[in-house]
Amino acid sequence: LYEQLGEPQQARHHFQLAEKCDPYVPPPDPLIEDLTRHSSSSVFLLRQATLANNGNDLQRAVALIRQAIRVNPADLGGHRQLGELLQELDHSETALPYLHRWLEDHPDDVDTLQLLGSCYMALARPDEAMASFAKAVELAPDNANGHMKIADAFKSQQKVHEAMGLNLQKVIKQ
């Protein structure tokens, strides 16, 4: 808005303030502003975000999903989608609240539990990662990927013998 009013320095100042609040705030995108003006539908914005993500325009995808969440905070699909995308972009700390919000209403979502555990692993928080992976394995005991993630969490805690035991359990089950 400041740029449109001919005050680009003011716009840059506010963008820098936003970056301090959130480490991953993509620059303002005129297309997103236009889409928002012409559509208040979070579903439309999430579809556009999916297209941007598929086209590897990840910054635009993040901005679109954030706008969809602002338009309709109750639509939790955006929270899950944004958490996953931020984790892919190595912004695990920023992804956590979005994944937790999704899991409040979908506590049995094995994929999101594993994604949450991966965020914790990326943040060197193996105890929390292990709890998330363990819940995923409890819900889907035949999920070999979940067992491997628990083993990786054990390894990161320097519990090699326990990790090897879990790997053996996985091999025996197969």
Side-chain angles (χ1 to χ4, degrees):
L1 179 61
Y2 284 111
E3 286 180 353
Q4 291 174 352
L5 296 174
E7 299 181 32
Q9 289 178 328
Q10 193 74 343
R12 275 192 290 281
H13 170 73
H14 285 284
F15 178 68
Q16 290 167 342
L17 289 175
E19 280 183 316
K20 289 178 184 175
C21 296
D22 185 342
Y24 190 77
V25 176
D29 185 330
L31 175 63
I32 292 169
E33 298 300 323
D34 190 47
L35 287 172
T36 304
R37 259 185 255 117
H38 297 306
S39 172
S40 61
S41 168
S42 63
V43 173
F44 175 76
L45 291 166
L46 289 174
R47 285 184 187 146
Q48 293 300 312
T50 300
L51 291 173
N53 190 13
N54 291 344
N56 288 322
D57 191 350
L58 304 181
Q59 287 187 348
R60 179 168 286 163
V62 167
L64 284 162
I65 296 168
R66 285 193 173 173
Q67 185 60 37
I69 291 170
R70 280 192 287 277
V71 168
N72 185 3
D75 183 2
L76 296 180
H79 289 80
R80 166 65 166 83
Q81 196 174 350
L82 184 56
E84 182 175 5
L85 186 55
L86 288 168
Q87 195 271 339
E88 285 178 31
L89 293 168
D90 294 326
H91 294 281
S92 294
E93 187 74 41
T94 308
L96 289 176
Y98 296 103
L99 297 174
H100 279 289
R101 179 63 188 101
W102 171 263
L103 287 168
E104 285 175 16
D105 284 8
H106 303 89
D108 296 340
D109 184 340
V110 173
D111 292 334
T112 303
L113 286 165
Q114 288 184 349
L115 185 61
L116 181 66
S118 295
C119 285
Y120 283 129
M121 287 296 291
L123 296 169
R125 293 163 58 179
D127 290 335
E128 292 161 295
M130 198 173 322
S132 186
F133 294 144
K135 184 169 181 182
V137 167
E138 180 183 316
L139 293 169
D142 294 333
N143 184 343
N145 189 34
H147 289 283
M148 290 302 294
K149 288 181 180 278
I150 290 174
D152 289 341
F154 272 119
K155 285 179 190 177
S156 73
Q157 290 179 319
Q158 304 301 316
K159 295 183 178 180
V160 176
H161 294 294
E162 291 171 333
M164 289 182 353
L166 282 175
N167 281 333
L168 288 175
Q169 279 183 339
K170 182 196 142 270
V171 171
I172 291 169
K173 281 189 174 183
Q174 293 177 353

